[in-house]
Amino acid sequence: MIKRRHPISLFAKSAVRLFGGEAGAGLLLIAVALAALVLANSPWAAAYHDLFHNALPWTPVARLTNLHLWINDALMAAFFFVVGLEIKREVLDGELSQPAQRRLPVLAAVMGMAVPALVFLWVTRNVPALARGWAIPAATDIAFAVGVIALLGKGLPPALRLFLLTVAIVDDLGAVAIIALAYSAGLDTMWLAAAGAVLASLAALNRFGVKHGLPYALGAIALWFCVLHSGVHAAVAGVLAAMTVPLALDRQGESLLLRMEHVLAPVSAYFVVPVFGLANAGVAIPLALPQGPALALPMGIALGLLVGKTVGIFGAVFLAERSGFAPRPAGASWLQVAGLSALCGIGFTMSLFIAQLAFPASPDLVEEAKLGVLAGSLLAGLIGYAVLRLAPRRV
C-alpha cells in the first residue's frame, strides 16, 4: 500500500530539491528582493503598490483589510512559529543546550544588537521622533547571510557557519522580545486574558502528553487571533505557540516538534519569507540622497547594520577570547571572524518587519527606513563576502 504524502510535505521536499537547502533559500530571497526593487522603480510601480495595499473585496478578519496586512500580521506569524520551534530545539537539545556552547553566541548576539542600536541613536540624536526606530538595525537575516556564504563555496571552517547560525537564533529570540516589549500599544486586557487562556490550554496539551499536531495547530491559530486583537503584535503568538509543542519522543520514537519543523521550515524559507520580501522590499529609489533630517533615518539604519553589527559581534568574540570567557570558532582566523561579523549586518527580513512596527502611522518614514535597510544590508553583504573571499582558508 502506497502511503500518500501531505501536500505541504511534498511542496517542502520539492523546494529543497529545487533550490538546495538553506543556501538556496538565501539565494531565492536575494532574487525576490531584487525583483521587488525593480517593480517598485518600473512603470508597473503603481500596480505593484496597489496589489498589496488596496482594500480586499472581502476579508475573514476585519483588522486585516489588505494583502500587505495579511502577509505581515498573519503569514509572518507562521514564520515566527518556525523560529520558535528552532529556538526551542536548540535550547533544549542543540547548540544552545550547554552553558559552554552558548556563552559566545549569546554574548555576540547581545552586543550585535546593542551596538547597532547605539549607533542608530547617536546618528539620529538630533531628530527625537526617530528614536522609535532604534531596533531596526539590531536584527540579522539568517537566510541572506547563509546565501552569501553559499556563494563562497567550501573551505570556511564549519565552526564559523555554526557560529553564524547560533548567533542568528539568539538574535531572533531577542528580536521577538523587542517586538513584544517595545512595539506593543493600546493593550486590550480582555483579549490578553483570552490569549493567556489559549496559551494555557496549549501548555496543558503538552503536559498531558498529546503528541498529535492538529490540536496544537488549531490552538496556535486561536492564539494568533487573540493576540492580533490584544495590542501585542501577532508575530509573538507564533513563538509562544511553538514553545508548547513537545520535543520529547512519542511511542513511535518520533518528535512532534521535529516533524513540524521538518515540514514547515522549507515552507517558511521558500514561500513565507520570499512573499514577505516581495511585499516589503519594494521601495522607490530617489534620484538624489535625502538632505538634512530626512537623511538621519536611512543613515542611522545603514551605519547601524554595517558598522554596529561588525563592531558589536567582532568585539564580543575578541573580548571573549582575550578574557578567557570563550574561544573564537575553531579553525577561524580573525579576518574570517571580521568577515562573518560584517555578514551579520544583513538585516533585511527582520529589519523591514520592525520598521513597519516602529513607524506605523508614517509611511514616508517606513520608506526611508527601507532605504537604510537595503543600503546597509547590501554593503554588509558585499563587504562580508569580499573579506571572507580574500581571507586565507587555513589558520
Side-chain angles (χ1 to χ4, degrees):
M1 181 177 178
I2 298 176
K3 184 178 179 181
R4 294 183 63 187
R5 293 181 177 178
H6 195 283
I8 294 179
S9 179
L10 290 173
F11 170 81
K13 291 179 182 295
S14 298
V16 171
R17 286 197 300 269
L18 179 61
F19 295 105
E22 291 174 334
L27 298 177
L28 175 61
L29 187 55
I30 292 172
V32 168
L34 291 174
L37 281 173
V38 169
L39 288 172
N41 293 274
S42 73
W44 302 285
Y48 165 79
H49 179 83
D50 291 345
L51 172 64
F52 293 108
H53 294 276
N54 279 2
L56 296 170
W58 177 82
T59 177
V61 181
R63 293 177 66 92
L64 306 181
T65 57
N66 59 48
L67 190 57
H68 189 263
L69 290 173
W70 271 102
I71 292 169
N72 284 23
D73 290 349
L75 203 58
M76 283 300 284
F79 164 79
F80 280 99
F81 182 79
V82 176
V83 168
L85 294 176
E86 184 178 20
I87 290 173
K88 182 172 181 177
R89 172 177 53 78
E90 290 291 344
V91 169
L92 295 182
D93 192 38
E95 296 301 325
L96 299 175
S97 61
Q98 300 297 323
Q101 293 175 308
R102 58 176 175 254
R103 283 180 183 174
L104 186 60
V106 170
L107 177 64
V110 170
M111 288 188 63
M113 298 183 82
V115 177
L118 292 174
V119 170
F120 175 88
L121 290 173
W122 184 83
V123 173
T124 61
R125 65 192 182 281
N126 294 324
V127 191
L130 300 181
R132 277 184 57 82
W134 65 270
I136 298 173
T140 293
D141 191 303
I142 182 61
F144 251 118
V146 170
V148 174
I149 285 181
L151 296 176
L152 291 165
K154 298 180 179 179
L156 293 178
L160 201 64
R161 182 180 180 278
L162 181 60
F163 173 68
L164 170 65
L165 295 174
T166 49
V167 167
I169 290 167
V170 180
D171 192 285
D172 284 342
L173 184 58
V176 172
I178 289 170
I179 291 169
L181 298 175
Y183 296 115
S184 297
L187 299 180
D188 188 309
T189 54
M190 293 297 293
W191 280 110
L192 280 176
V198 174
L199 184 60
S201 300
L202 284 168
L205 291 176
N206 187 326
R207 178 68 179 83
F208 289 108
V210 176
K211 297 295 197 297
H212 196 281
L214 182 59
Y216 292 96
L218 295 176
I221 294 171
L223 180 62
W224 164 79
F225 187 80
C226 293
V227 173
L228 177 67
H229 292 83
S230 70
V232 177
H233 196 275
V236 177
V239 175
L240 292 177
M243 293 300 167
T244 68
V245 178
L247 177 62
L249 300 181
D250 57 21
R251 293 179 180 178
Q252 287 73 42
E254 296 183 347
S255 165
L256 177 59
L257 186 147
L258 295 179
R259 290 203 308 270
M260 281 188 164
E261 186 179 7
H262 178 73
V263 171
L264 295 178
V267 177
S268 174
Y270 294 112
F271 176 69
V272 176
V273 174
V275 169
F276 172 84
L278 184 64
N280 289 275
V283 55
I285 300 175
L287 297 177
L289 284 175
Q291 300 296 320
L295 181 61
L297 180 58
M299 184 64 71
I301 294 171
L303 289 178
L305 288 169
L306 180 61
V307 178
K309 277 288 186 181
T310 304
V311 171
I313 293 177
F314 183 85
V317 178
F318 183 83
L319 291 175
E321 176 153 289
R322 286 291 186 265
S323 66
F325 179 73
R328 62 180 143 152
S333 68
W334 283 116
L335 192 57
Q336 289 173 327
V337 172
L340 192 79
S341 300
L343 277 188
C344 289
I346 303 176
F348 199 72
T349 304
M350 199 69 79
S351 293
L352 291 175
F353 188 75
I354 294 175
Q356 308 281 338
L357 304 180
F359 307 110
S362 304
D364 290 342
L365 289 181
V366 173
E367 293 301 301
E368 292 172 12
K370 287 181 180 181
L371 282 175
V373 171
L374 296 175
S377 297
L378 176 62
L379 290 173
L382 291 174
I383 292 174
Y385 176 86
V387 171
L388 289 172
R389 171 62 71 185
L390 296 174
R393 296 302 176 97
R394 295 286 186 271
V395 179

